[in-house]
Amino acid sequence: RWHYLNGGGGITMETESKDQDDLRAAILNYDFTRFKMVECQTLEDWQGAIAAKIDEFKALDEQFQGRRLPVCIGIDSIMGKASQYTIDQVKKEGHVTPGWNLYEHKAITKWLQVATALMTGWPFSLVVIGHLKDGMPNFQGRSEKYIPGAVAVDYQSVTEIAMVRAKTEVFKDPRDL
């Protein structure tokens, strides 16, 4: 919303095929003139679309006489779609082989290294949604949360927000989430 209120806009790469248009409309005050959503079918779809949009938004700098507009670029969610490589493997073999998701992990890591460099010096925010999973329990019996396929997100992130849906009315200590 900050981007919108400061004259900019946003774009979301929708990878889950379950758009939350009511929530987005409320956040944007029902003004879609500076917001776009792109339905993506593969990992390469959202990566390519964001790279193209970064170039497009930078080109607007000339149109607005050097005033750099803030842009929020969202991915919902980072592991929402498989890569074309994995899709082709499933079509050929009928299943995935062990280590199938390593391609996606590496592709996301390399892409983030490039994309964040392309955004340096520009008022662009990259918002990545990933679904937290429980990791292996540590020696105290607690398991750490992680985002599958998104090790590089931890490395590149500035702020991380964890949200959980309360299933009961019992208060939970946020340190245990």
Side-chain angles (χ1 to χ4, degrees):
R1 186 164 171 97
W2 174 87
H3 302 81
Y4 179 82
L5 294 174
N6 286 283
I11 184 163
T12 296
M13 303 299 139
E14 176 61 50
T15 67
E16 291 190 330
S17 305
K18 56 179 183 177
D19 184 29
Q20 296 290 323
D21 55 344
D22 291 340
L23 176 60
R24 182 176 55 253
I27 291 170
L28 298 173
N29 200 30
Y30 299 90
D31 179 359
F32 296 100
T33 57
R34 291 180 278 145
F35 177 85
K36 301 290 181 224
M37 188 185 71
V38 177
E39 291 275 348
C40 301
Q41 299 305 314
T42 67
L43 173 94
E44 292 84 359
D45 281 353
W46 66 256
Q47 290 181 344
I50 291 175
K53 288 297 181 183
I54 288 171
D55 289 341
E56 185 180 315
F57 294 136
K58 285 181 176 181
L60 288 175
D61 186 40
E62 292 178 24
Q63 180 182 342
F64 289 94
Q65 302 161 345
R67 181 171 176 251
R68 294 183 171 180
L69 300 175
V71 177
C72 182
I73 303 168
I75 308 165
D76 184 11
S77 85
I78 195 164
M79 290 295 288
K81 295 291 183 194
S83 67
Q84 189 62 52
Y85 171 82
T86 299
I87 292 167
D88 292 343
Q89 184 181 27
V90 169
K91 285 180 179 178
K92 180 180 173 190
E93 303 291 331
H95 58 85
V96 292
T97 56
W100 65 274
N101 59 351
L102 291 179
Y103 179 85
E104 279 84 358
H105 293 208
K106 289 178 182 177
I108 290 168
T109 299
K110 290 298 179 192
W111 182 85
L112 282 169
Q113 290 171 343
V114 173
T116 53
L118 293 175
M119 291 187 275
T120 300
W122 291 83
F124 298 159
S125 300
L126 181 63
V127 177
V128 176
I129 296 174
H131 300 282
L132 291 172
K133 305 290 182 191
D134 288 322
M136 295 294 293
N138 62 18
F139 67 93
Q140 296 172 329
R142 292 183 178 209
S143 61
E144 301 227 0
K145 302 281 186 185
Y146 73 99
I147 301 171
V151 174
V153 172
D154 288 341
Y155 177 74
Q156 298 283 352
S157 69
V158 176
T159 302
E160 191 172 301
I161 300 169
M163 296 173 39
V164 295
R165 182 180 310 177
K167 296 186 179 177
T168 66
E169 294 183 21
V170 176
F171 174 78
K172 294 183 180 183
D173 186 334
R175 293 171 293 192
D176 292 336
L177 299 177

